[in-house]
Structure formats: C-alpha cells, structure tokens
Amino acid sequence: MSTPVIMSQPQVVVVQQQSPQWQTDLLDCFSDCGICLCGTFFPLCLGCQVAADMDECCLCGPTMAMRSVYRTKYGIPGSLLGDFCVNLWCPHCALCQLKRDINKRRDMGIF
C-alpha cells in the first residue's frame, strides 16, 4: 500500500471586510478625473455604465433608487431622504461618487 503524496500546502485566505462608508466624498471629483469629465459632459453614458455595473436597466437612469439599493447593499449609512436630496441638488456628483465607489470596491474585490 502506498502513502498519498501531498502536492500543496494549506493556505490562509484573508477576506477583506466591506467598508461601511462611501470610498470617496461626494465632491471628490479630482480623485478620478475621467469619471468627473464623463459625469459632467456625458451623464447619460455614465449612468448607463453604472446601471450595467449594478445589473439594472439603463433606461431607468441614475436615480435615487439605484443609489439607495447600492448604499443598502454595502451597509453605507444614510437615508432615503438623503439619497433623494443628493440626487436632486447634485445629480452629477452623486452619479460620479457612485461610479468611483463601484470601481474602488471592484479593485478591492468586494463588488
């Protein structure tokens, strides 16, 4: 009877904790100028990118609901009223913040 040969050693897997906050501030446009420019001049295109990232319908556009769903999914503090106000008074900034957050979480492997 032969002894089994071990081909690999056990490995430790480190799971990154989700950050319960936005990865960038609402007005932090210069942290990613490409997203800022796209959100300023082509907000519908950026909205469709965000919708596609979130497996949502592009025709709905970047709405308060999309921001609320995302915020709830990642445990980001806030309220529906806050989401409504941000999308009402600063829709381009809200969209850019959402896209930056998606990109950062994707880079961290938690999106």
Side-chain angles (χ1 to χ4, degrees):
M1 188 152 110
S2 66
T3 307
V5 177
I6 298 174
M7 299 301 286
S8 63
Q9 295 293 320
Q11 297 178 351
V12 176
V13 177
V14 177
V15 178
Q16 291 180 326
Q17 294 294 321
Q18 292 182 10
S19 177
Q21 60 189 3
W22 291 103
Q23 301 298 307
T24 60
D25 290 329
L26 184 64
L27 301 175
D28 198 10
C29 284
F30 295 109
S31 67
D32 190 325
C33 291
I35 290 174
C36 181
L37 290 172
C38 189
T40 301
F41 296 108
F42 306 104
L44 294 176
C45 291
L46 187 61
C48 284
Q49 286 180 13
V50 169
D53 289 341
M54 295 179 61
D55 292 327
E56 296 287 337
C57 177
C58 182
L59 298 176
C60 297
T63 62
M64 177 198 99
M66 205 169 3
R67 183 177 177 89
S68 298
V69 166
Y70 185 85
R71 188 177 50 72
T72 302
K73 179 178 180 180
Y74 290 101
I76 299 170
S79 66
L80 291 175
L81 179 60
D83 294 333
F84 174 77
C85 290
V86 166
N87 276 296
L88 178 66
W89 290 311
C90 231
H92 297 282
C93 296
L95 179 60
C96 291
Q97 181 186 36
L98 187 54
K99 180 62 176 170
R100 287 191 310 267
D101 202 270
I102 288 170
N103 289 349
K104 287 189 178 279
R105 288 182 193 274
R106 186 176 284 138
D107 290 344
M108 293 186 309
I110 57 174
F111 179 75

